[in-house]
Amino acid sequence: MTTEPGARPSARRAADPAPPPPGGILWSVAGDVRALLMLPAALTLQVAHPAVGAGVDEHSVFRTDPWGRGERSLRSVMLWVYGGEAAAAEGRRLRALHRTITGTDAHGHRYHALTPANYAWVHATGFPCYRHALRYLGRRPLTAAQERQLYAEWLQVGRILGIHDRDMPQTVEEFWPYYRKMLAEVVERTAVVEELTDPGQRVPPPDRGPLPVRLVLRALWPVLLPPLAAFRSFVTVGYLPPDARQALGFAWSPAQERGLRRFSRVVRGVVPLLPERLRYLPTARRARARHRAAAR
């Protein structure tokens, strides 16, 4: 575990917030491969905040290194939930990384990535997006008690990221008025939202994985990219909560909704049948194995 200079490891551990508990909702959901379908909607809702969108537009490498950026982001998210003592260290790393992210948004307003309202919104978006997508991709919708549990676990992740309790609604009942106010008064269809949902988005071929696979993908990429980009746009907009979709001005037809439900039904039926090595992402899979071994 990383400690700050001069700090005693035992004191540092005592001061660090713990990640969500094994056996919780996030422990089950965050590392499941179905989360890969949920995350683009959350990312899109994050960058709908003018300050967040401007920060990503000006400082992120998502255009020039999309695969690397995605891999690093996913690794970070996995650490928040499954990282144990490394979770808090990752939270400190992220805050240090964001200290220099400043600029001016499209409205001429100065922003800083760590302004509490901005940083909290980036984190807050995960809850409504997970909640909504689980209605399609989970075995059954969350009960009211499970929603409260998910929100409590999401607050715990926020503490790992360095978000103070005073900057986030502390209950589900307090969250929804905050969320609706953000949709009504703050979020907008920023330039980055447009890019992330553009079915014609140009993305370079993958630059990770075995060389033979990369070479094949590079050769086939002109054929593969159009349907892949269209599919990514479809699931990104589809798994956005309807009120967020409406706030951002995305049309969504009954035919699209039927298509999303059909696709989700297949995913919901197939993924639970997969062996764990295919169902869970590597960090989650290793953490789950360690937890089982420790429980014996």
Side-chain angles (χ1 to χ4, degrees), residues 200-252:
Q201 185 183 16
R202 306 305 301 171
V203 179
D207 56 2
R208 280 153 173 73
L211 179 60
V213 174
R214 282 186 280 138
L215 292 175
V216 170
L217 287 173
R218 187 181 305 167
L220 296 177
W221 202 239
V223 176
L224 294 175
L225 178 58
L228 288 175
F231 172 75
R232 185 187 188 282
S233 175
F234 174 70
V235 296
T236 298
V237 176
Y239 290 130
L240 274 171
D243 48 4
R245 195 190 300 145
Q246 182 177 6
L248 295 175
F250 287 114
W252 189 251

Short mmCIF file of all heavy atoms in Angstrom, two decimals, residues 200-252:
data_model
loop_
_atom_site.label_atom_id
_atom_site.label_comp_id
_atom_site.label_asym_id
_atom_site.label_seq_id
_atom_site.Cartn_x
_atom_site.Cartn_y
_atom_site.Cartn_z
N GLY A 200 -21.11 7.81 -36.41
CA GLY A 200 -20.06 7.84 -37.43
C GLY A 200 -18.70 8.18 -36.86
O GLY A 200 -17.78 8.53 -37.61
N GLN A 201 -18.56 8.06 -35.54
CA GLN A 201 -17.30 8.43 -34.88
C GLN A 201 -16.13 7.62 -35.44
O GLN A 201 -16.21 6.41 -35.60
CB GLN A 201 -17.41 8.21 -33.37
CG GLN A 201 -16.20 8.68 -32.59
CD GLN A 201 -16.33 8.36 -31.11
OE1 GLN A 201 -17.16 7.55 -30.71
NE2 GLN A 201 -15.51 8.99 -30.29
N ARG A 202 -15.04 8.33 -35.71
CA ARG A 202 -13.84 7.67 -36.23
C ARG A 202 -12.95 7.26 -35.06
O ARG A 202 -12.55 8.09 -34.25
CB ARG A 202 -13.06 8.62 -37.15
CG ARG A 202 -13.88 9.22 -38.28
CD ARG A 202 -14.55 8.16 -39.13
NE ARG A 202 -13.60 7.23 -39.72
CZ ARG A 202 -13.94 6.12 -40.38
NH1 ARG A 202 -15.23 5.80 -40.49
NH2 ARG A 202 -13.02 5.34 -40.91
N VAL A 203 -12.70 5.98 -34.96
CA VAL A 203 -11.86 5.43 -33.89
C VAL A 203 -10.77 4.59 -34.55
O VAL A 203 -11.05 3.79 -35.45
CB VAL A 203 -12.70 4.54 -32.94
CG1 VAL A 203 -11.82 3.95 -31.85
CG2 VAL A 203 -13.83 5.35 -32.35
N PRO A 204 -9.51 4.76 -34.13
CA PRO A 204 -8.45 3.95 -34.72
C PRO A 204 -8.60 2.49 -34.31
O PRO A 204 -9.22 2.18 -33.29
CB PRO A 204 -7.16 4.56 -34.14
CG PRO A 204 -7.60 5.21 -32.87
CD PRO A 204 -8.99 5.70 -33.12
N PRO A 205 -8.02 1.57 -35.06
CA PRO A 205 -8.11 0.15 -34.69
C PRO A 205 -7.41 -0.11 -33.37
O PRO A 205 -6.51 0.64 -32.97
CB PRO A 205 -7.41 -0.57 -35.85
CG PRO A 205 -6.55 0.46 -36.49
CD PRO A 205 -7.25 1.77 -36.30
N PRO A 206 -7.79 -1.16 -32.67
CA PRO A 206 -7.16 -1.47 -31.38
C PRO A 206 -5.65 -1.62 -31.51
O PRO A 206 -5.15 -2.21 -32.47
CB PRO A 206 -7.82 -2.79 -30.97
CG PRO A 206 -9.14 -2.80 -31.69
CD PRO A 206 -8.89 -2.11 -32.99
N ASP A 207 -4.94 -1.09 -30.52
CA ASP A 207 -3.48 -1.19 -30.52
C ASP A 207 -2.99 -2.02 -29.35
O ASP A 207 -1.84 -1.93 -28.94
CB ASP A 207 -2.85 0.21 -30.46
CG ASP A 207 -3.33 1.02 -29.26
OD1 ASP A 207 -4.11 0.49 -28.45
OD2 ASP A 207 -2.91 2.19 -29.14
N ARG A 208 -3.88 -2.86 -28.80
CA ARG A 208 -3.52 -3.74 -27.70
C ARG A 208 -3.93 -5.17 -28.05
O ARG A 208 -4.80 -5.38 -28.88
CB ARG A 208 -4.22 -3.29 -26.41
CG ARG A 208 -3.50 -2.13 -25.76
CD ARG A 208 -4.42 -1.27 -24.94
NE ARG A 208 -3.67 -0.27 -24.21
CZ ARG A 208 -3.12 0.80 -24.79
NH1 ARG A 208 -3.25 1.01 -26.09
NH2 ARG A 208 -2.43 1.68 -24.07
N GLY A 209 -3.28 -6.13 -27.40
CA GLY A 209 -3.56 -7.52 -27.67
C GLY A 209 -2.49 -8.16 -28.53
O GLY A 209 -1.52 -7.51 -28.94
N PRO A 210 -2.66 -9.46 -28.82
CA PRO A 210 -1.65 -10.18 -29.62
C PRO A 210 -1.47 -9.53 -31.00
O PRO A 210 -2.43 -9.07 -31.62
CB PRO A 210 -2.25 -11.58 -29.75
CG PRO A 210 -3.22 -11.69 -28.61
CD PRO A 210 -3.76 -10.31 -28.39
N LEU A 211 -0.23 -9.50 -31.46
CA LEU A 211 0.08 -8.85 -32.73
C LEU A 211 -0.74 -9.42 -33.90
O LEU A 211 -1.27 -8.64 -34.71
CB LEU A 211 1.58 -8.96 -33.02
CG LEU A 211 2.05 -8.34 -34.35
CD1 LEU A 211 1.74 -6.86 -34.39
CD2 LEU A 211 3.54 -8.59 -34.56
N PRO A 212 -0.87 -10.75 -34.04
CA PRO A 212 -1.68 -11.26 -35.17
C PRO A 212 -3.11 -10.74 -35.15
O PRO A 212 -3.68 -10.41 -36.20
CB PRO A 212 -1.63 -12.78 -34.99
CG PRO A 212 -0.39 -13.03 -34.20
CD PRO A 212 -0.26 -11.85 -33.27
N VAL A 213 -3.71 -10.65 -33.95
CA VAL A 213 -5.08 -10.15 -33.84
C VAL A 213 -5.13 -8.68 -34.25
O VAL A 213 -6.04 -8.24 -34.98
CB VAL A 213 -5.61 -10.34 -32.40
CG1 VAL A 213 -6.99 -9.69 -32.26
CG2 VAL A 213 -5.68 -11.82 -32.06
N ARG A 214 -4.16 -7.90 -33.79
CA ARG A 214 -4.13 -6.48 -34.14
C ARG A 214 -3.99 -6.28 -35.64
O ARG A 214 -4.61 -5.38 -36.22
CB ARG A 214 -3.00 -5.78 -33.39
CG ARG A 214 -3.33 -5.49 -31.93
CD ARG A 214 -2.24 -4.67 -31.28
NE ARG A 214 -1.11 -5.51 -30.89
CZ ARG A 214 0.16 -5.19 -31.04
NH1 ARG A 214 0.49 -4.05 -31.63
NH2 ARG A 214 1.11 -5.98 -30.63
N LEU A 215 -3.17 -7.11 -36.27
CA LEU A 215 -2.97 -6.97 -37.71
C LEU A 215 -4.25 -7.29 -38.48
O LEU A 215 -4.60 -6.61 -39.45
CB LEU A 215 -1.82 -7.88 -38.17
CG LEU A 215 -0.42 -7.48 -37.67
CD1 LEU A 215 0.61 -8.52 -38.09
CD2 LEU A 215 -0.03 -6.11 -38.20
N VAL A 216 -4.95 -8.32 -38.03
CA VAL A 216 -6.22 -8.69 -38.69
C VAL A 216 -7.24 -7.58 -38.51
O VAL A 216 -7.94 -7.18 -39.45
CB VAL A 216 -6.74 -10.03 -38.13
CG1 VAL A 216 -8.17 -10.29 -38.63
CG2 VAL A 216 -5.84 -11.17 -38.54
N LEU A 217 -7.34 -7.07 -37.28
CA LEU A 217 -8.30 -5.99 -37.02
C LEU A 217 -7.97 -4.75 -37.83
O LEU A 217 -8.87 -4.08 -38.34
CB LEU A 217 -8.32 -5.66 -35.53
CG LEU A 217 -9.00 -6.69 -34.62
CD1 LEU A 217 -8.82 -6.32 -33.16
CD2 LEU A 217 -10.48 -6.81 -34.96
N ARG A 218 -6.68 -4.45 -37.94
CA ARG A 218 -6.29 -3.27 -38.71
C ARG A 218 -6.72 -3.43 -40.17
O ARG A 218 -7.21 -2.47 -40.79
CB ARG A 218 -4.78 -3.07 -38.62
CG ARG A 218 -4.29 -1.77 -39.25
CD ARG A 218 -2.78 -1.66 -39.15
NE ARG A 218 -2.33 -1.79 -37.77
CZ ARG A 218 -1.06 -1.98 -37.42
NH1 ARG A 218 -0.12 -2.08 -38.36
NH2 ARG A 218 -0.72 -2.07 -36.15
N ALA A 219 -6.57 -4.62 -40.71
CA ALA A 219 -6.95 -4.85 -42.11
C ALA A 219 -8.46 -4.77 -42.30
O ALA A 219 -8.95 -4.28 -43.32
CB ALA A 219 -6.43 -6.21 -42.57
N LEU A 220 -9.21 -5.26 -41.31
CA LEU A 220 -10.67 -5.31 -41.43
C LEU A 220 -11.36 -4.07 -40.87
O LEU A 220 -12.59 -3.96 -40.99
CB LEU A 220 -11.21 -6.56 -40.70
CG LEU A 220 -10.78 -7.92 -41.26
CD1 LEU A 220 -11.33 -9.03 -40.38
CD2 LEU A 220 -11.25 -8.08 -42.70
N TRP A 221 -10.60 -3.17 -40.25
CA TRP A 221 -11.21 -2.06 -39.54
C TRP A 221 -12.14 -1.20 -40.39
O TRP A 221 -13.20 -0.79 -39.90
CB TRP A 221 -10.13 -1.20 -38.89
CG TRP A 221 -10.63 -0.38 -37.74
CD1 TRP A 221 -10.59 0.97 -37.61
CD2 TRP A 221 -11.22 -0.87 -36.53
NE1 TRP A 221 -11.12 1.36 -36.41
CE2 TRP A 221 -11.54 0.25 -35.73
CE3 TRP A 221 -11.54 -2.15 -36.07
CZ2 TRP A 221 -12.14 0.13 -34.48
CZ3 TRP A 221 -12.15 -2.27 -34.82
CH2 TRP A 221 -12.44 -1.14 -34.05
N PRO A 222 -11.83 -0.90 -41.63
CA PRO A 222 -12.77 -0.10 -42.42
C PRO A 222 -14.15 -0.74 -42.54
O PRO A 222 -15.16 -0.04 -42.68
CB PRO A 222 -12.09 0.00 -43.79
CG PRO A 222 -10.63 -0.14 -43.49
CD PRO A 222 -10.57 -1.15 -42.38
N VAL A 223 -14.20 -2.07 -42.49
CA VAL A 223 -15.48 -2.78 -42.57
C VAL A 223 -16.13 -2.91 -41.20
O VAL A 223 -17.34 -2.79 -41.05
CB VAL A 223 -15.27 -4.18 -43.19
CG1 VAL A 223 -16.58 -4.97 -43.21
CG2 VAL A 223 -14.72 -4.05 -44.61
N LEU A 224 -15.29 -3.14 -40.16
CA LEU A 224 -15.82 -3.39 -38.82
C LEU A 224 -16.27 -2.12 -38.12
O LEU A 224 -17.23 -2.14 -37.34
CB LEU A 224 -14.75 -4.09 -37.96
CG LEU A 224 -14.34 -5.49 -38.38
CD1 LEU A 224 -13.19 -5.98 -37.49
CD2 LEU A 224 -15.53 -6.45 -38.29
N LEU A 225 -15.57 -1.01 -38.36
CA LEU A 225 -15.84 0.20 -37.58
C LEU A 225 -17.27 0.72 -37.72
O LEU A 225 -17.90 1.05 -36.69
CB LEU A 225 -14.84 1.30 -37.93
CG LEU A 225 -15.06 2.64 -37.21
CD1 LEU A 225 -15.02 2.45 -35.70
CD2 LEU A 225 -14.05 3.67 -37.66
N PRO A 226 -17.84 0.86 -38.91
CA PRO A 226 -19.19 1.46 -38.99
C PRO A 226 -20.24 0.74 -38.13
O PRO A 226 -20.94 1.40 -37.36
CB PRO A 226 -19.51 1.41 -40.48
CG PRO A 226 -18.15 1.47 -41.14
CD PRO A 226 -17.26 0.65 -40.25
N PRO A 227 -20.35 -0.60 -38.21
CA PRO A 227 -21.37 -1.23 -37.35
C PRO A 227 -21.01 -1.16 -35.87
O PRO A 227 -21.90 -1.03 -35.02
CB PRO A 227 -21.42 -2.69 -37.84
CG PRO A 227 -20.14 -2.91 -38.57
CD PRO A 227 -19.77 -1.59 -39.16
N LEU A 228 -19.71 -1.23 -35.53
CA LEU A 228 -19.32 -1.14 -34.13
C LEU A 228 -19.62 0.24 -33.57
O LEU A 228 -20.10 0.38 -32.43
CB LEU A 228 -17.83 -1.46 -33.98
CG LEU A 228 -17.44 -2.93 -34.17
CD1 LEU A 228 -15.92 -3.08 -34.12
CD2 LEU A 228 -18.09 -3.81 -33.11
N ALA A 229 -19.33 1.29 -34.34
CA ALA A 229 -19.60 2.66 -33.88
C ALA A 229 -21.11 2.88 -33.74
O ALA A 229 -21.57 3.54 -32.79
CB ALA A 229 -19.00 3.67 -34.85
N ALA A 230 -21.89 2.35 -34.66
CA ALA A 230 -23.34 2.48 -34.58
C ALA A 230 -23.88 1.75 -33.35
O ALA A 230 -24.77 2.25 -32.64
CB ALA A 230 -24.00 1.94 -35.84
N PHE A 231 -23.33 0.56 -33.06
CA PHE A 231 -23.76 -0.21 -31.89
C PHE A 231 -23.39 0.53 -30.61
O PHE A 231 -24.20 0.62 -29.68
CB PHE A 231 -23.11 -1.59 -31.90
CG PHE A 231 -23.34 -2.38 -30.64
CD1 PHE A 231 -24.57 -2.95 -30.40
CD2 PHE A 231 -22.34 -2.51 -29.69
CE1 PHE A 231 -24.80 -3.68 -29.23
CE2 PHE A 231 -22.55 -3.23 -28.53
CZ PHE A 231 -23.79 -3.81 -28.30
N ARG A 232 -22.19 1.10 -30.56
CA ARG A 232 -21.77 1.83 -29.37
C ARG A 232 -22.69 3.03 -29.12
O ARG A 232 -23.10 3.28 -27.99
CB ARG A 232 -20.33 2.31 -29.51
CG ARG A 232 -19.78 2.98 -28.26
CD ARG A 232 -18.41 3.59 -28.50
NE ARG A 232 -17.82 4.06 -27.26
CZ ARG A 232 -18.13 5.19 -26.64
NH1 ARG A 232 -19.06 5.97 -27.16
NH2 ARG A 232 -17.54 5.54 -25.52
N SER A 233 -23.04 3.74 -30.18
CA SER A 233 -23.95 4.87 -30.03
C SER A 233 -25.32 4.40 -29.54
O SER A 233 -25.92 5.03 -28.66
CB SER A 233 -24.10 5.59 -31.37
OG SER A 233 -25.06 6.61 -31.30
N PHE A 234 -25.78 3.28 -30.06
CA PHE A 234 -27.09 2.75 -29.70
C PHE A 234 -27.16 2.39 -28.22
O PHE A 234 -28.10 2.79 -27.51
CB PHE A 234 -27.38 1.51 -30.56
CG PHE A 234 -28.63 0.77 -30.20
CD1 PHE A 234 -29.88 1.31 -30.44
CD2 PHE A 234 -28.55 -0.49 -29.62
CE1 PHE A 234 -31.05 0.62 -30.10
CE2 PHE A 234 -29.70 -1.19 -29.28
CZ PHE A 234 -30.94 -0.63 -29.52
N VAL A 235 -26.16 1.66 -27.71
CA VAL A 235 -26.22 1.26 -26.30
C VAL A 235 -25.92 2.43 -25.38
O VAL A 235 -26.45 2.50 -24.26
CB VAL A 235 -25.28 0.07 -26.00
CG1 VAL A 235 -25.72 -1.16 -26.77
CG2 VAL A 235 -23.83 0.41 -26.28
N THR A 236 -25.10 3.38 -25.82
CA THR A 236 -24.81 4.54 -24.99
C THR A 236 -26.07 5.35 -24.75
O THR A 236 -26.41 5.68 -23.60
CB THR A 236 -23.74 5.43 -25.64
OG1 THR A 236 -22.52 4.69 -25.77
CG2 THR A 236 -23.47 6.68 -24.81
N VAL A 237 -26.79 5.67 -25.82
CA VAL A 237 -28.03 6.44 -25.67
C VAL A 237 -29.11 5.58 -25.01
O VAL A 237 -29.88 6.05 -24.18
CB VAL A 237 -28.49 6.96 -27.04
CG1 VAL A 237 -29.83 7.68 -26.92
CG2 VAL A 237 -27.45 7.91 -27.63
N GLY A 238 -29.15 4.30 -25.36
CA GLY A 238 -30.20 3.43 -24.83
C GLY A 238 -30.13 3.23 -23.34
O GLY A 238 -31.16 3.20 -22.66
N TYR A 239 -28.92 3.09 -22.79
CA TYR A 239 -28.78 2.85 -21.36
C TYR A 239 -28.68 4.14 -20.55
O TYR A 239 -28.53 4.08 -19.33
CB TYR A 239 -27.58 1.94 -21.08
CG TYR A 239 -27.82 0.51 -21.55
CD1 TYR A 239 -26.88 -0.15 -22.33
CD2 TYR A 239 -28.99 -0.16 -21.21
CE1 TYR A 239 -27.08 -1.45 -22.76
CE2 TYR A 239 -29.21 -1.46 -21.64
CZ TYR A 239 -28.26 -2.10 -22.42
OH TYR A 239 -28.49 -3.38 -22.85
N LEU A 240 -28.76 5.29 -21.21
CA LEU A 240 -28.95 6.52 -20.45
C LEU A 240 -30.34 6.49 -19.80
O LEU A 240 -31.31 6.08 -20.44
CB LEU A 240 -28.88 7.74 -21.37
CG LEU A 240 -27.52 8.34 -21.68
CD1 LEU A 240 -27.66 9.41 -22.77
CD2 LEU A 240 -26.88 8.95 -20.44
N PRO A 241 -30.47 6.92 -18.56
CA PRO A 241 -31.81 7.03 -17.98
C PRO A 241 -32.68 7.92 -18.87
O PRO A 241 -32.19 8.91 -19.43
CB PRO A 241 -31.54 7.69 -16.62
CG PRO A 241 -30.13 7.31 -16.29
CD PRO A 241 -29.41 7.29 -17.59
N PRO A 242 -33.95 7.60 -19.06
CA PRO A 242 -34.81 8.37 -19.97
C PRO A 242 -34.85 9.86 -19.69
O PRO A 242 -34.88 10.67 -20.63
CB PRO A 242 -36.18 7.72 -19.77
CG PRO A 242 -35.89 6.33 -19.35
CD PRO A 242 -34.65 6.42 -18.51
N ASP A 243 -34.82 10.25 -18.41
CA ASP A 243 -34.85 11.69 -18.12
C ASP A 243 -33.55 12.36 -18.55
O ASP A 243 -33.55 13.51 -19.01
CB ASP A 243 -35.16 11.96 -16.65
CG ASP A 243 -34.32 11.13 -15.68
OD1 ASP A 243 -33.44 10.38 -16.13
OD2 ASP A 243 -34.57 11.23 -14.45
N ALA A 244 -32.43 11.67 -18.43
CA ALA A 244 -31.16 12.22 -18.91
C ALA A 244 -31.15 12.28 -20.42
O ALA A 244 -30.68 13.26 -21.02
CB ALA A 244 -30.00 11.37 -18.40
N ARG A 245 -31.68 11.25 -21.05
CA ARG A 245 -31.77 11.23 -22.52
C ARG A 245 -32.59 12.41 -23.01
O ARG A 245 -32.22 13.10 -23.97
CB ARG A 245 -32.40 9.90 -22.95
CG ARG A 245 -32.24 9.54 -24.41
CD ARG A 245 -33.12 8.35 -24.74
NE ARG A 245 -32.78 7.18 -23.97
CZ ARG A 245 -33.65 6.29 -23.54
NH1 ARG A 245 -34.95 6.45 -23.76
NH2 ARG A 245 -33.26 5.23 -22.86
N GLN A 246 -33.69 12.66 -22.34
CA GLN A 246 -34.56 13.78 -22.73
C GLN A 246 -33.85 15.12 -22.50
O GLN A 246 -33.93 16.03 -23.33
CB GLN A 246 -35.86 13.72 -21.94
CG GLN A 246 -36.85 14.81 -22.31
CD GLN A 246 -38.16 14.67 -21.55
OE1 GLN A 246 -38.31 13.82 -20.67
NE2 GLN A 246 -39.13 15.49 -21.90
N ALA A 247 -33.16 15.25 -21.35
CA ALA A 247 -32.47 16.50 -21.05
C ALA A 247 -31.40 16.82 -22.08
O ALA A 247 -31.12 17.99 -22.37
CB ALA A 247 -31.85 16.43 -19.65
N LEU A 248 -30.81 15.79 -22.68
CA LEU A 248 -29.76 15.98 -23.67
C LEU A 248 -30.31 16.04 -25.10
O LEU A 248 -29.53 16.21 -26.04
CB LEU A 248 -28.72 14.86 -23.56
CG LEU A 248 -27.95 14.84 -22.23
CD1 LEU A 248 -27.03 13.63 -22.17
CD2 LEU A 248 -27.16 16.13 -22.05
N GLY A 249 -31.62 15.87 -25.24
CA GLY A 249 -32.23 16.02 -26.55
C GLY A 249 -32.04 14.86 -27.49
O GLY A 249 -32.07 15.03 -28.71
N PHE A 250 -31.88 13.65 -26.94
CA PHE A 250 -31.73 12.48 -27.79
C PHE A 250 -33.10 11.87 -28.09
O PHE A 250 -33.87 11.57 -27.18
CB PHE A 250 -30.85 11.42 -27.12
CG PHE A 250 -29.39 11.77 -27.08
CD1 PHE A 250 -28.76 12.01 -25.87
CD2 PHE A 250 -28.65 11.87 -28.25
CE1 PHE A 250 -27.42 12.33 -25.83
CE2 PHE A 250 -27.32 12.19 -28.22
CZ PHE A 250 -26.70 12.43 -27.00
N ALA A 251 -33.38 11.68 -29.35
CA ALA A 251 -34.61 10.98 -29.74
C ALA A 251 -34.45 9.49 -29.46
O ALA A 251 -33.35 8.94 -29.60
CB ALA A 251 -34.89 11.21 -31.22
N TRP A 252 -35.54 8.86 -29.08
CA TRP A 252 -35.51 7.42 -28.80
C TRP A 252 -36.86 6.85 -29.16
O TRP A 252 -37.86 7.14 -28.52
CB TRP A 252 -35.18 7.16 -27.33
CG TRP A 252 -34.91 5.72 -27.00
CD1 TRP A 252 -35.71 4.89 -26.28
CD2 TRP A 252 -33.77 4.96 -27.39
NE1 TRP A 252 -35.14 3.65 -26.18
CE2 TRP A 252 -33.94 3.66 -26.85
CE3 TRP A 252 -32.62 5.24 -28.12
CZ2 TRP A 252 -33.01 2.64 -27.04
CZ3 TRP A 252 -31.69 4.24 -28.31
CH2 TRP A 252 -31.88 2.96 -27.78
#
